[in-house]
Amino acid sequence: MALRPPRSFWLPKAGNSPEEYEDASRVVYPQRMGTSGRRTARAAVSDGASESAFAREWANVLTEAFASRPPDMCGLTEDSLCDWLALGQEEWRVGIPWDRIPWHGEAKARAGAFATLLGLTFAAAPAGSPRLYWQALAVGDSCLFVIRDDRLWLSFPLEDAAQFDNNPALVCSNPDNAGDLWENVSRSEGECLAGDLFILASDALACWFLERNAEGEKPWETLIALDSSGWAAWVEEQRGAGLMGNDDTTLVIIGVN
C-alpha cells in the first residue's frame, strides 16, 4: 500500500494579491514508510485569521512545524501539545520585525496571531499490517474529508455546513493568549484502504464541499478533476455564483493505492 503523489492548490480571496494570501499548506512524504511507523507522511493546512497581526506568518509556521516535526500523535496530551507549539511560537516571535511595527500596531502584534490547524499523518499500521494507518488533529474549521467506496466516509472535525461561522477555534502564537486550547482539539484515526481519498480543505472550500454533498452531489469528483490550469477559474466561478465564500482557498488531495 502506498500514497499517490499529493496535489495542492491555493488561491487568495478575490481582490487580493498572492502576498495577501493567509492560508498555508505543506505536505512531506518520506522516502520509505518503514514497518516501525517512525517514518511518517505528513500534511497540514492552516487558515490565518485576518483580524490578527502576522497571521500569514503564523499559518506558515504551523504547517511547516507539523510537516517537519509533527507532535506525537499517539501519545498526545495537553502538555505535549503545548510543548510542541512552544517551538513554533518562539519561531514566529523571532521572525516578527518588531522594530518596524508602528506604535499603534504593537499591542495587536504582541497579542499574537491566530490560525486554524489541520494536521494529518500516515504511517505503517501496527502489528505488521500491510495497510497504512492515519491520524488527524484539528483546531478550527479547516476540514479533512475521507472518500471511501465513492462516498463521503468521514468529515472531520465538522460534519455539516451549518457548523461554519465567523468564530472558529484558533491556535494562538502567543502562549499567554492560547486560552483553553486543549478543549478545542479534535482527533481522529483509522486504517487506510486501497482507493481511499484524503481531501484537506480550508473553510470556504470545506463549506462548499459539505453543501454539495448534502445536495446529493459528489464534490470529490469535481475536485479530483481539477488541474493547475483550471483551478483559479473554477474557484472564481463558484464564488461568482454565490456557492463559495470569498476567502483564501486551499486544497490538498492525497490518494491511497
Side-chain angles (χ1 to χ4, degrees):
M1 184 169 287
L3 301 178
R4 300 175 202 152
R7 300 172 60 213
S8 301
F9 306 88
W10 62 274
L11 192 72
K13 59 175 63 74
N16 281 11
S17 68
E19 291 72 28
E20 295 172 291
Y21 167 77
E22 292 179 315
D23 282 3
S25 65
R26 186 84 166 89
V27 183
V28 172
Y29 281 14
Q31 290 184 339
R32 184 173 61 86
M33 300 297 262
T35 57
S36 67
R38 293 177 183 172
R39 292 175 178 263
T40 59
R42 289 91 65 187
V45 166
S46 179
D47 178 359
S50 300
E51 298 78 13
S52 59
F54 299 100
R56 169 189 172 98
E57 289 79 3
W58 180 227
N60 276 286
V61 166
L62 281 173
T63 53
E64 180 60 33
F66 192 94
S68 61
R69 47 169 187 83
D72 179 3
M73 299 285 279
C74 293
L76 192 69
T77 65
E78 182 175 8
D79 288 342
S80 67
L81 178 61
C82 289
D83 289 344
W84 175 78
L85 276 173
L87 293 175
Q89 289 165 333
E90 177 62 14
E91 179 183 346
W92 177 87
R93 188 192 66 79
V94 170
I96 300 304
W98 299 104
D99 58 334
R100 299 200 298 273
I101 298 175
W103 67 267
H104 54 80
E106 185 174 349
K108 183 177 181 179
R110 293 200 179 279
F114 292 83
T116 67
L117 175 62
L118 171 65
L120 173 67
T121 66
F122 296 91
S129 168
R131 293 178 179 170
L132 297 178
Y133 185 74
W134 64 269
Q135 294 179 299
L137 70 80
V139 177
D141 55 10
S142 294
C143 289
L144 168 68
F145 304 115
V146 181
I147 311 305
R148 179 173 291 174
D149 296 328
D150 200 33
R151 67 180 181 89
L152 178 58
W153 182 76
L154 174 73
S155 179
F156 168 82
L158 305 186
E159 298 179 340
D160 192 295
Q163 294 177 273
F164 290 87
D165 58 35
N166 293 323
N167 296 291
L170 299 167
V171 182
C172 185
S173 65
N174 182 343
D176 293 334
N177 290 333
D180 296 324
L181 174 63
W182 186 245
E183 295 183 4
N184 295 316
V185 175
S186 298
R187 288 183 286 173
S188 188
E189 61 184 32
E191 278 193 324
C192 299
L193 296 182
D196 281 354
L197 192 68
F198 290 78
I199 297 173
L200 296 82
S202 55
D203 59 340
L205 181 59
C207 186
W208 169 90
F209 187 102
L210 287 172
E211 287 177 339
R212 302 279 65 76
N213 185 71
E215 291 293 323
E217 300 175 23
K218 296 181 178 181
W220 54 91
E221 293 184 345
T222 299
L223 298 181
I224 61 178
L226 292 170
D227 58 25
S228 57
S229 64
W231 160 254
W234 177 80
V235 172
E236 290 165 357
E237 180 183 4
Q238 302 308 302
R239 292 171 177 172
L243 299 175
M244 187 184 299
N246 181 25
D247 196 4
D248 293 332
T249 306
T250 304
L251 167 66
V252 176
I253 301 174
I254 299 173
V256 181
N257 288 330

